[in-house]
Amino acid sequence: MNGSAAPLVAFIGTTPNIGTTAAAFAAAYRLAEASGKSIGYLCLNLKSAKIHRYLGVIEPTVTLDKLRPDLRSYSLTADKLRRAAHAVQGRPNLQVLFGNFVRDQAEYFTPEEADHLLTAAEQAFAMVVLDVGAYWDNAATICAMRRASSRILVTTPALSHFQEDGRRWIGQVSPLFGVAPEQYDLITINGPWRNGGYQMKHICKELGTAQLGQFQLSEPVFSQLDSGTYAGWLRSDALGKQAMREPAKALMQRHGIRGLPPVLSVQPWYRKLLTHRNGTSS
């Protein structure tokens, strides 16, 4: 258990199905990769959980709904949460709690249960990424956005997304729960299906948010998501290695998370010297 509460970084979209989960998980992956620390990724999509499919885990052993008894009784501990979370292949310090599979129970998820889950997460990990839905009609979204240390708003250059949906949810509804537009950082999703559109500075001005970065969707990304190999793409593909790198770096600096020291490569001449000295350096 950590001595102090871990930062909570909440990702929320202005609009459903624009790539919020893909961007949030890429950020979590980069945080785990760069810091070497224990990073938690909590899927709080109560009606449209997708991250299990993106990671190729079609039938997860533990999902958010299976923790409801512990949440109702306020007995979920940091250790229980870590055991319930799935360690990502190739990046074991990134652990994922898969989302709710019982969609008809979404409305019964209470604020008290959500807060208890977030408290356990703050104690279980060094940093936590929260992936919530695009709508403010459930306890998970409201509690996550109220509790978050950083709030990341995800949208696209489409006017109907950042202007119409953004004004409705971030401009009108979010302040009702004590979160003003200027308390958000912005990520724009750029897709392969459109050229042009509004620039980041215009979108930030419209919404009153600060710029954090961009995430590029492409046909290879869609292919990896559909095939359940998204984590492998982030780990080994040349483009995948760059996804959400700069936003993750900014979040680490903001929350005082130190990066791993650079790995120094051994030069060929030094290897020859070691061989000459029978493997000793002196």
Side-chain angles (χ1 to χ4, degrees):
M1 182 179 296
N2 296 329
S4 58
L8 301 176
V9 179
F11 281 73
I12 185 169
T14 58
T15 312
N17 303 316
I18 59 172
T20 302
T21 293
F25 183 79
Y29 196 96
R30 296 280 89 90
L31 290 168
E33 178 183 68
S35 70
K37 298 183 183 299
S38 176
I39 305 297
Y41 179 96
L42 273 58
C43 176
L44 299 182
N45 280 282
L46 299 187
K47 293 184 178 180
S48 185
K50 293 291 192 302
I51 190 61
H52 62 287
R53 290 196 170 273
Y54 297 167
L55 300 183
V57 185
I58 306 305
E59 295 293 338
T61 303
V62 181
T63 53
L64 177 58
D65 51 279
K66 293 183 179 179
L67 295 180
R68 288 294 298 285
D70 294 297
L71 296 177
R72 289 194 191 105
S73 61
Y74 306 110
S75 61
L76 181 66
T77 64
D79 287 338
K80 282 184 179 180
L81 180 56
R82 281 192 292 264
R83 289 195 299 269
H86 168 81
V88 174
Q89 185 176 5
R91 182 53 58 191
N93 63 316
L94 174 56
Q95 292 183 261
V96 177
L97 176 64
F98 295 118
N100 176 50
F101 276 37
V102 186
R103 295 187 177 187
D104 60 353
Q105 295 295 308
E107 287 80 6
Y108 300 101
F109 197 92
T110 69
E112 292 77 15
E113 291 169 0
D115 276 329
H116 184 57
L117 174 62
L118 296 178
T119 298
E122 287 175 330
Q123 298 170 344
F125 305 104
M127 198 169 190
V128 184
V129 172
L130 308 173
D131 174 21
V132 306
Y135 299 128
W136 289 70
D137 61 353
N138 63 86
T141 296
I142 293 170
C143 291
M145 301 317 294
R146 285 175 60 90
R147 290 272 297 266
S149 313
S150 286
R151 303 168 180 89
I152 314 302
L153 179 64
V154 181
T155 192
T156 80
L159 196 64
S160 61
H161 293 166
F162 75 82
Q163 188 182 76
E164 184 174 349
D165 292 339
R167 280 181 176 176
R168 178 179 297 118
W169 297 113
I170 305 306
Q172 298 175 5
V173 177
S174 179
L176 298 178
F177 297 99
V179 184
E182 57 267 22
Q183 293 176 270
Y184 290 87
D185 295 291
L186 189 75
I187 292 287
T188 56
I189 303 286
N190 298 315
W193 54 82
R194 59 183 292 138
N195 295 315
Y198 290 85
Q199 296 180 1
M200 169 78 80
K201 62 181 180 180
H202 298 137
I203 300 172
C204 288
K205 183 177 180 180
E206 176 73 26
L207 294 172
T209 58
Q211 177 178 335
L212 185 62
Q214 301 182 51
F215 180 73
Q216 181 65 50
L217 285 179
S218 62
E219 291 301 332
V221 175
F222 292 129
S223 176
Q224 301 299 325
L225 296 175
D226 289 343
S227 62
T229 54
Y230 188 45
W233 181 79
L234 292 169
R235 180 176 65 252
S236 58
D237 184 85
L239 292 176
K241 290 179 180 180
Q242 298 303 315
M244 294 296 288
R245 182 178 297 276
E246 291 306 314
K249 181 179 178 180
L251 289 169
M252 288 175 62
Q253 291 176 342
R254 174 183 298 175
H255 296 293
I257 304 295
R258 298 182 63 181
L260 291 171
V263 177
L264 300 178
S265 60
V266 179
Q267 298 297 323
W269 63 265
Y270 187 66
R271 287 199 296 266
K272 291 180 181 178
L273 179 61
L274 289 180
T275 302
H276 179 70
R277 294 179 174 176
N278 295 320
T280 63
S281 59
S282 61

